[in-house]
């Protein structure tokens, strides 16, 4: 969608930003997919509920699979175009990137989609590596009443909110990579 948005605006700068975004997404989706293989092997299933149930029975996957978690998190930052991986919309290099020619609601759709993608990646981090809706150090939440269901929803919401805060915190902290450094990190 970003590559098509850059191409359809009929601007060379937006097209260059869209092509950068496409290349970045392809290179980091490979790393993201490969980092999920150990999670699927440990749980023995691809269902999110089965992955969370396996973590409830043992330990959260962030401990034994820290390298996979770190790779998934870095690839998640790159997929959501957050700093230090926000080169498709690097204002200093490409005016504003792929959305140069857009304004009003079309412009806001890009950012609504970007923040929805941030929430999706944070939900996946919470589910795949931090036990999802599991309340740590207790099995009270597994009995299945109304109060337990509300408590697990609240726990999942708090985990996702924590990771959204971490995403924003890193955006405020780290400088931007150069494009060649970005692509080299993605393919290595």
């Amino acid at each position: 969608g970003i590559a098509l948005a850059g191409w359809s605006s009929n601007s060379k700068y937006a097209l260059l930003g869209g092509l950068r975004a496409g290349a970045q997404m392809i290179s980091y989706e490979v790393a993201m997919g490969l980092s999920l293989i150990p999670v699927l092997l440990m749980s023995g299933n691809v269902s999110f509920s089965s992955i969370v149930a396996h973590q409830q029975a043992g330990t959260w996957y962030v401990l034994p699979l820290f390298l996979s978690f770190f790779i998934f998190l870095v690839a998640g930052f790159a997929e959501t175009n957050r700093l230090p991986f926000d080169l498709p919309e690097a204002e200093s290099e490409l005016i504003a990137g792929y959305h140069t020619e857009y304004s009003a609601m079309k412009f806001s759709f890009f950012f609504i989609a970007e923040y929805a993608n941030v929430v999706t990646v944070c939900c996946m981090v919470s589910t795949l590596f931090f036990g999802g809706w599991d309340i740590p150090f207790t099995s009270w939440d597994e009995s299945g009443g109304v109060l337990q269901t509300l408590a697990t929803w609240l726990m999942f919401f708090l985990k996702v909110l924590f990771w959204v805060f971490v995403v924003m915190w890193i955006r405020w902290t780290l400088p931007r990579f150069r494009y060649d450094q970005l692509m080299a990190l993605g393919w290595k």
Side-chain angles (χ1 to χ4, degrees):
I2 291 175
L4 286 177
W7 174 72
S8 66
S9 66
N10 201 17
S11 169
K12 293 177 184 173
Y13 295 111
L15 175 64
L16 188 56
L19 292 176
R20 279 186 170 188
Q24 178 178 328
M25 284 185 183
I26 290 170
S27 65
Y28 282 94
E29 281 176 0
V30 171
M32 184 179 273
L34 289 175
S35 70
L36 291 179
I37 291 174
V39 173
L40 302 179
L41 288 175
M42 281 189 73
S43 68
N45 203 332
V46 295
S47 170
F48 282 140
S49 59
S50 298
I51 292 171
V52 171
H54 193 266
Q55 292 180 70
Q56 284 175 333
T59 182
W60 288 354
Y61 288 161
V62 69
L63 298 175
L65 301 175
F66 185 76
L67 182 62
S68 292
F69 160 70
F70 183 72
I71 291 171
F72 185 84
L73 191 64
V74 169
F77 277 113
E79 285 294 313
T80 57
N81 295 330
R82 308 300 288 172
L83 265 173
F85 304 102
D86 67 336
L87 287 176
E89 53 194 50
E91 294 88 359
S92 61
E93 297 176 12
L94 300 172
I95 304 174
Y98 55 88
H99 51 73
T100 300
E101 302 293 327
Y102 294 97
S103 63
M105 277 308 289
K106 291 179 184 176
F107 180 76
S108 71
F109 282 148
F110 285 115
F111 285 95
I112 290 170
E114 183 175 314
Y115 282 102
N117 199 4
V118 166
V119 171
T120 302
V121 167
C122 292
C123 288
M124 289 184 68
V125 165
S126 298
T127 302
L128 295 172
F129 295 101
F130 287 92
W133 51 85
D134 180 38
I135 300 174
F137 312 117
T138 183
S139 60
W140 169 78
D141 58 324
E142 297 171 19
S143 60
V146 173
L147 188 59
Q148 288 86 354
T149 302
L150 291 175
T152 56
W153 285 354
L154 179 65
M155 180 54 70
F156 183 72
F157 178 74
L158 290 175
K159 288 177 185 178
V160 171
L161 201 61
F162 171 77
W163 285 109
V164 169
F165 171 74
V166 168
V167 167
M168 291 182 183
W169 179 39
I170 289 179
R171 181 176 179 91
W172 300 328
T173 307
L174 296 176
R176 180 181 292 136
F177 283 121
R178 285 192 332 247
Y179 189 69
D180 60 330
Q181 293 171 334
L182 174 86
M183 295 306 288
L185 179 66
W187 287 109
K188 288 179 183 172

